[in-house]
Amino acid sequence: PLFRRDPVAVQFHPPEGLRPGQLGTLLDERAHVVDVTATILDLAVRGHLRIEESDDPAGRGGRDWRLVRTRTEGSDDELLPYETALVDALFDDGDEVSLSSLRQHFREDLVRVQKLLYQDVTGHGWFRGDPSSVRTGWQLRGGLVVLLGGAATVALARWTSFGLVGLAAVLSGIVLLVLASWMPARTAAGTAVLAQARGFRLYLETAEAEQLRQEEAGDVFSRYLPYAVIFGVARRWVGVF
């Protein structure tokens, strides 16, 4: 082979300073709802809130979850801007909130947190530009080319015999629209952090119960659960414990 791919080394800890929400955005260049969910879990692990099981307020016999804000004045664990916005949005009406009630009014707050998350990963130098803005920019370019190409096609077909020339422009615009999702580019620093994170994923996927039992004093289960959610291996991680 012309190139040899080195195996990813197992990392027993997440990259230093990398938080679950940042990791999720770095993985696929998108700030998904699951990245915000993992951030809520991470805030609970770090002591900024508490998650309690409660009864379904609708009385249907199901389960609900209550988030309780815990005051952390004087703590050395500073919140990042997107984390601060998330905490403020969750506890806008008090120090307790049920997840079922958030479904009614949390959508706008969620969008704002996601925008701040994009700004955060870009500010760390992991992307050459805000992934969301880059995608939107290319989508606008593609849409403009499609519109201009369509107008040109109609005009050329009506007054000349070169209508296919305009059609080629339409197809080019469609290609731009399709490729817009792949336009965000990680920097070398972002790629390096992602490589370490993938090594940590191997640990979450392969760690055995006996090994984790020896690390139990460090509360490794709770600390790494938000990352397992991001990687989609939470069920396996819970099962080992």
Side-chain angles (χ1 to χ4, degrees):
L2 297 177
F3 297 96
R4 176 175 297 167
R5 182 178 180 182
D6 293 329
V8 176
V10 175
Q11 303 285 333
F12 296 95
H13 307 282
E16 185 176 359
L18 183 67
R19 296 182 179 172
Q22 297 170 329
L23 171 59
T25 307
L26 187 61
L27 275 174
D28 57 7
E29 301 102 20
R30 294 181 182 275
H32 291 291
V33 174
V34 68
D35 302 329
V36 179
T37 302
T39 297
I40 294 175
L41 289 174
D42 186 51
L43 290 171
V45 171
R46 289 156 52 196
H48 294 280
L49 59 90
R50 188 170 66 251
I51 304 175
E52 301 175 346
E53 185 176 359
S54 61
D55 295 331
D56 185 353
R60 292 169 296 190
R63 291 185 301 175
D64 195 5
W65 300 93
R66 181 170 57 249
L67 306 182
V68 181
R69 187 172 192 172
T70 54
R71 299 299 177 177
T72 56
E73 285 82 357
S75 172
D76 293 332
D77 184 23
E78 295 184 2
L79 296 178
L80 297 175
Y82 75 90
E83 294 175 327
T84 299
L86 176 58
V87 171
D88 291 343
L90 289 173
F91 302 107
D92 184 39
D93 295 327
D95 288 342
E96 295 187 12
V97 63
S98 65
L99 285 185
S100 58
S101 67
L102 290 176
R103 300 182 187 133
Q104 309 301 324
H105 59 80
F106 193 62
R107 183 177 300 276
E108 292 183 4
D109 295 319
L110 177 62
V111 172
R112 181 159 51 90
V113 172
Q114 289 170 315
K115 288 182 178 179
L116 289 172
L117 190 48
Y118 282 125
Q119 293 175 13
D120 180 90
V121 295
T122 305
H124 275 81
W126 296 331
F127 289 95
R128 295 177 184 173
D130 184 318
S132 178
S133 298
V134 170
R135 273 192 299 271
T136 300
W138 282 102
Q139 289 168 351
L140 291 175
R141 293 186 186 96
L144 182 60
V145 171
V146 169
L147 290 175
L148 293 177
T153 300
V154 173
L156 291 173
R158 182 172 182 179
W159 288 297
T160 72
S161 58
F162 299 100
L164 291 179
V165 175
L167 184 60
V170 173
L171 294 177
S172 298
I174 293 174
V175 170
L176 286 178
L177 289 173
V178 173
L179 294 179
S181 296
W182 286 273
M183 289 304 181
R186 300 184 191 91
T187 61
T191 301
V193 171
L194 184 59
Q196 296 178 48
R198 285 173 172 159
F200 178 56
R201 177 176 184 167
L202 286 180
Y203 169 72
L204 297 179
E205 292 176 332
T206 59
E208 299 297 336
E210 184 61 33
Q211 176 185 358
L212 296 174
R213 198 171 293 118
Q214 296 173 3
E215 302 176 3
E216 192 172 4
D219 199 19
V220 66
F221 169 73
S222 297
R223 285 190 289 114
Y224 293 170
L225 177 60
Y227 297 93
V229 170
I230 291 295
F231 284 124
V233 297
R235 186 179 298 275
R236 191 263 176 193
W237 186 245
V238 171
V240 169
F241 280 85

